[in-house]
Amino acid sequence: MIFGGIQKTSLIDFPGKVSCVLFTPGCNFTCPYCHNPDLANNRTDLFSPMAEETVIDFLKSRQGLLEGVVITGGEPTLHKRLGKFCEKVKALGYPVKLDTNGSRPEDLDDLLADALVDYVAMDIKTDPYGYAPDISPVDQSKNLISCIDSILSSGLPHEFRTTCLAPFVDAGIVARIATYIEGADLYALQPFKNGVVLDPDFIEKKSTACRKEDLIEFQSIAAPFVTRCIVR
């Protein structure tokens, strides 16, 4: 595998563990508010690719110091060697947290079946039936719902999370998302923070960041459906 970057130490990305965060390049979604546009577009001219061997050497050097490895993106499941890489990471004694957009259920199911991940976080951008055309050029509802069901039935610690930005999120949309993830361990509602994004024109002309009061309302809507609902 080729990686787009590494955060060598994180106290917040893998719940309860000191972890490192590995970023994979490339994504099959086009979220206008994406904060990793160079990675999402796989612009290798704008970041320094890291070889798998370099990452493994780093993880070997941090044994006894780090407690887990987070693999995020981009979208990690686009990489065919993801499973093999997870095998190497787990052979070093590290638990693995996977961040995914939920678009590739077969790949997720393979990782779960082979016990190659220990924690799964899935982003739910909006109502699963509302991804096209701004988040994905094609309907993703079948894939998203399949991944949600796989995560819920996996028995693994997990979370779902939504970045709260109109027109993708409002009270009705949160209510529908909550029904799909009923019984989840954790649902995290995240404020949109402006900055470098994939589609600045969309953000300026077609979107509105949800207010703190909105997130509190969304939390009250979703909380009855999940074990824990938080505003980050």
Side-chain angles (χ1 to χ4, degrees), residues 3-232:
F3 294 89
I6 184 171
Q7 181 179 341
K8 293 183 177 180
T9 306
S10 170
L11 302 178
I12 61 174
D13 287 277
F14 198 145
K17 299 185 185 299
V18 179
S19 66
C20 71
V21 184
L22 304 174
F23 297 87
T24 63
C27 189
N28 54 340
F29 283 177
T30 55
C31 306
Y33 54 84
C34 175
H35 282 106
N36 291 321
D38 296 341
L39 275 175
N41 287 326
N42 203 7
R43 289 289 306 273
T44 55
D45 56 319
L46 297 177
F47 62 84
S48 300
M50 297 179 62
E52 179 176 316
E53 293 77 13
T54 301
V55 173
I56 292 296
D57 287 343
F58 167 79
L59 294 177
K60 288 178 179 178
S61 74
R62 293 299 179 98
Q63 285 177 300
L65 299 174
L66 291 176
E67 300 170 324
V69 175
V70 178
I71 305 176
T72 188
E75 174 50 39
T77 60
L78 292 173
H79 296 265
K80 293 181 179 180
R81 283 191 52 82
L82 177 60
K84 293 293 185 183
F85 176 74
C86 289
E87 286 181 0
K88 293 181 179 181
V89 174
K90 290 185 69 66
L92 294 174
Y94 292 107
V96 174
K97 173 178 177 274
L98 174 71
D99 292 349
T100 182
N101 64 20
S103 63
R104 297 172 66 85
E106 295 86 0
D107 298 286
L108 177 61
D109 286 345
D110 286 344
L111 292 169
L112 295 174
D114 293 336
L116 294 176
V117 294
D118 302 275
Y119 190 110
V120 184
M122 176 177 161
D123 289 299
I124 302 180
K125 315 294 185 177
T126 186
D127 184 318
Y129 288 91
Y131 275 52
D134 293 318
I135 292 171
S136 170
V138 298
D139 174 52
Q140 291 284 350
S141 56
K142 182 178 179 180
N143 292 332
L144 296 165
I145 292 169
S146 179
C147 282
I148 290 170
D149 290 344
S150 291
I151 293 168
L152 290 175
S153 62
S154 69
L156 293 177
H158 60 267
E159 66 183 69
F160 298 94
R161 55 201 185 191
T162 298
T163 298
C164 297
L165 176 73
F168 303 113
V169 176
D170 59 26
I173 289 171
V174 170
R176 291 196 291 278
I177 292 173
T179 63
Y180 292 116
I181 64 170
E182 186 170 6
D185 289 350
L186 174 65
Y187 184 36
L189 299 160
Q190 305 174 157
F192 166 72
K193 297 179 181 179
N194 210 346
V196 177
V197 295
L198 184 65
D199 190 344
D201 189 61
F202 184 100
I203 297 303
E204 180 181 354
K205 298 178 179 179
K206 299 181 181 180
S207 71
T208 305
C210 296
R211 303 166 301 167
K212 179 72 171 182
E213 308 92 274
D214 297 324
L215 272 71
I216 297 300
E217 178 189 2
F218 300 161
Q219 182 184 28
S220 69
I221 291 169
F225 292 87
V226 298
T227 301
R228 189 160 64 104
C229 183
I230 63 171
V231 173
R232 284 202 168 123

